[in-house]
Amino acid sequence: MAINRRNLIKSGSTLLAGSVVSGVARAGLKQNAPAFDQAYAQTFALVKQTLDQAGLKEIPPLPLVSGQDHINGGLRQDANPAMLQRMTYTLQPSARVDDIAERGRTDLLPIFHVLASHTQPDTTFADQAHFLMTLLTDICGLDKQRLAFASVPDVEQMRELLTLSGIDFDRQVHIRAPEVARGMGDSSGYFFPDPEDNEYHILTCGVYYRLTDEGDVGFATYPPPAEWTEVAEFGLTGIESPGIALGMERLTLARSGFYPTWSDRLPMLMERVGAESGNDAPPPGLDAFR
């Protein structure tokens, strides 16, 4: 039976009792936290410069401590598109309690950052997808042959665009059954900004990158094999202003091949939550990370 990710997030740390670390390391990558930090700074500067030159304005993120203790243990689990105005972007710190069960994976960290943006109202979803492809390949240097996509049948509207971008649509785009994608509640088909509202969703396409030099073109099963990681997503419909989202740590991993360990990043989470909580009690989800 497929796991409904929204239910897992809503339950927070209560579902992690007795969990087993099931993550796997990706081949060909190097554990080097200082090198990763340097690569992250370079990657963010490159993305920020691109968005700034396109006329977008950076706005402050929401607090990592959400105040909704019944969802994800009171921690922000993703960017919230409702906070974004047109022609803006934000770098949202996030932490997901359900990631703890797979903390052996090189692409999962206790705290990570989602860069989300919205464009002007006359921009189409295809325009925004084209902008994201240019950002990932021409600017950030990702190999088009190591990209893959996962979504529902609505992604067919992007066939021409992705083909013109150098993507073999039939081999590099994995189309999921809508009922399966909706049931799992992840972002490769349906993104639910509010885990408590089953009707408020955005149709999205997840963008994946193969972290190994050798491997298959695309993937035939979902979740994808271990060598693939989701680096970005773009909208297909369901939101007034088209948007994109980038996982900055994963994009850095894809560009550099360096990664920090879960333990390397854990103090960053504790310090951020401590600073935001002040004299108040920290959110209950933080106990699961200790």
Side-chain angles (χ1 to χ4, degrees):
M1 184 173 116
I3 295 175
N4 186 312
R5 190 167 183 279
R6 284 174 292 135
N7 287 342
L8 193 60
I9 287 174
K10 284 164 63 178
S11 300
S13 59
T14 59
L15 287 181
L16 290 172
S19 63
V20 177
V21 177
S22 59
V24 295
R26 269 64 166 166
L29 305 177
K30 296 180 181 179
Q31 179 186 329
N32 190 323
F36 177 86
D37 290 342
Q38 183 177 8
Y40 179 92
Q42 294 171 344
T43 299
F44 177 65
L46 189 62
V47 172
K48 176 177 171 55
Q49 180 184 38
T50 303
L51 295 175
D52 290 345
Q53 290 177 346
L56 277 70
K57 177 183 177 182
E58 184 175 8
I59 61 174
L62 295 171
L64 177 58
V65 178
S66 69
Q68 295 180 289
D69 290 354
H70 64 295
I71 298 176
N72 193 42
L75 298 168
R76 194 82 53 188
Q77 76 269 14
D78 212 324
N80 184 350
M83 69 167 292
L84 288 168
Q85 300 172 344
R86 291 163 180 161
M87 297 297 289
T88 63
Y89 69 95
T90 192
L91 187 67
Q92 178 64 54
S94 307
R96 293 174 184 159
V97 173
D98 56 304
D99 284 348
I100 299 172
E102 295 187 272
R103 61 186 178 273
R105 283 174 45 176
T106 56
D107 63 344
L108 286 183
L109 295 170
I111 183 171
F112 59 94
H113 297 79
V114 178
L115 189 147
S117 75
H118 279 188
T119 57
Q120 64 263 33
D122 58 345
T123 299
T124 67
F125 286 93
D127 291 336
Q128 192 69 340
H130 175 70
F131 178 81
L132 177 61
M133 287 295 296
T134 301
L135 178 60
L136 293 176
T137 59
D138 295 353
I139 296 172
C140 290
L142 297 192
D143 184 353
K144 293 179 182 180
Q145 302 310 308
R146 291 166 65 173
L147 286 171
F149 305 79
S151 189
V152 289
D154 301 73
V155 76
E156 282 282 353
Q157 64 186 277
M158 298 294 177
R159 176 183 285 271
E160 181 179 3
L161 168 68
L162 292 176
T163 300
L164 291 174
S165 298
I167 300 300
D168 185 333
F169 191 93
D170 293 321
R171 299 180 69 191
Q172 291 176 257
V173 179
H174 178 73
I175 298 179
R176 307 171 65 195
E179 62 274 13
V180 174
R182 187 181 178 93
M184 290 182 70
D186 53 37
S187 60
S188 294
Y190 292 88
F191 173 52
F192 293 86
D194 183 351
E196 296 186 300
D197 186 352
N198 291 338
E199 299 306 316
Y200 173 32
H201 62 266
I202 302 169
L203 281 176
T204 60
C205 178
V207 184
Y208 292 76
Y209 196 69
R210 194 184 70 233
L211 296 173
T212 52
D213 290 332
E214 302 295 332
D216 294 333
V217 177
F219 46 81
T221 59
Y222 192 94
E227 64 268 24
W228 294 90
T229 189
E230 187 178 14
V231 296
E233 64 185 59
F234 59 86
L236 297 173
T237 187
I239 190 168
E240 181 181 353
S241 179
I244 60 173
L246 298 164
M248 290 306 303
E249 280 80 5
R250 290 184 177 183
L251 179 57
T252 300
L253 173 64
R255 294 187 71 226
S256 69
F258 296 120
Y259 67 94
T261 65
W262 184 275
S263 297
D264 289 333
R265 272 295 186 274
L266 195 55
M268 182 185 296
L269 172 65
M270 299 300 175
E271 291 169 9
R272 181 70 182 244
V273 172
E276 291 189 7
S277 299
N279 295 325
D280 297 331
L286 193 65
D287 287 338
F289 287 92
R290 296 187 190 279

